[in-house]
Amino acid sequence: MKVGVIQFAPEFGDVTGNMTRILALIEREDADLFVLPELALSGYVFESRAEALALAQRADGPEFDAPALLAREKGATIVLGFAERASEGLYNSSLMLTPDGRREVYRKIQLFYREKEIFLPGNMPPSVHDVAGVRLGMMICFDWIYPEVARSLALAGADILCHCSNLVLPYCPDAMVTRSIENRVFSMTANRIGSEKRAGEDLTFIGMSEIVSPRGEILARAGTDTEEVVVVDIAPEAARDKAVTPNNDILNDRRPDMYRLS
Ligand code: ACM
C-alpha cells in the first residue's frame, strides 16, 4: 500500500485557491491514502468566530464534491482538515473521503491555545474506518499530546493514524515516534508550512510532516519549509502484530486496574 503526506502552505481565507492547490498536489502522485494538514482550506489564525464561520464548510457540502470525485477516480482515500460548520457551532474537523464515496468526520478533541475561542471541542469518541481492509483512525494536531487519543484509536483497531496538523511547537514529530511505538501503529502526520501574522499572533508552522512505522522508524520526514508530497510503501498488516517480545503484547498486557486515570 502506498501512503502519502502532503505538506503545503494554505493561503489564509482563500478556500477556493487552497482546494485547487490540494487537488493539484494529490493529482501529482499515486497513492492509496493521502493525509493533508489541519484547516487546509481556511488557514489557521482567525480574528473571530464570525470570520471562521465565513470560511467553514459542512461535511456534506458541495465544496468536497471535487476531492470526493478525485478519491473515486484515483481509488485513493483523502483525509484533510477543515473548519466544520455544524448546527450547534464550529468544530476543528477532519474529513475522510473514501473511494467508495463515504465521508467520515472526526472533530478535534484537544483544542490548542486560541482555538478554544473559536471552536467547540470534539463531541464524538475517535473512531476507526475500514477502507479495503485497512483500518484508519483520525486525530488532529494537539491531540498528540494526550496519549489517550492515539491509544483509543489503537484499542479500536487502527492500523494507521491519520494526523492532520498545523504544528507550531517543536515536540510533535519526535513524540509521534513514541505514539507509534507505544501502540504499534503507523502514524502519518501531515503538517503545514509557512506563517500567519494576524489577530495579534505571529505563528510559524514547523513542517516536518512524517510517516512512522509501528516500530518507530521514521520512514519519511519532510523539510521545515518545503512544499512536498512524500509517499512511501507500507505493509499495514505490520500494525496487527502487537508483540514487543514473545512475552509482551502491547495492548493485551495493559493493567487498567493498576492505573489511576481520574
Ligand atoms: C495545533 O493543535 N494546531 C497546534
Side-chain angles (χ1 to χ4, degrees), residues 36-49:
L36 290 114
E38 177 184 12
L39 295 169
L41 296 180
S42 56
Y44 184 73
V45 182
F46 301 102
E47 300 264 3
S48 63
R49 202 172 289 154

Side-chain angles (χ1 to χ4, degrees), residues 38 44 92 108 110-112 115 140-143 165-169:
E38 177 184 12
Y44 184 73
N92 182 343
K108 186 175 186 177
Q110 305 292 347
L111 296 174
F112 178 68
E115 290 171 28
I140 300 180
C141 206
F142 199 55
D143 283 335
S165 294
N166 273 190
L167 298 164
V168 291
L169 301 177

Side-chain angles (χ1 to χ4, degrees), residues 90-170:
L90 282 173
Y91 293 99
N92 182 343
S93 297
S94 56
L95 183 65
M96 179 183 292
L97 302 162
T98 66
D100 60 358
R102 280 177 283 159
R103 294 187 184 195
E104 308 286 1
V105 178
Y106 168 71
R107 295 170 170 168
K108 186 175 186 177
I109 291 172
Q110 305 292 347
L111 296 174
F112 178 68
Y113 187 37
R114 295 183 65 185
E115 290 171 28
K116 291 189 173 191
E117 298 163 21
I118 305 289
F119 296 107
L120 297 168
N123 58 352
M124 305 180 293
S127 58
V128 169
H129 308 286
D130 189 310
V131 182
V134 180
R135 299 193 295 235
L136 306 177
M138 290 185 275
M139 53 188 275
I140 300 180
C141 206
F142 199 55
D143 283 335
W144 73 265
I145 210 166
Y146 293 85
E148 293 87 346
V149 178
R151 180 68 102 202
S152 300
L153 288 167
L155 288 171
D159 300 316
I160 304 176
L161 308 180
C162 303
H163 184 209
C164 302
S165 294
N166 273 190
L167 298 164
V168 291
L169 301 177

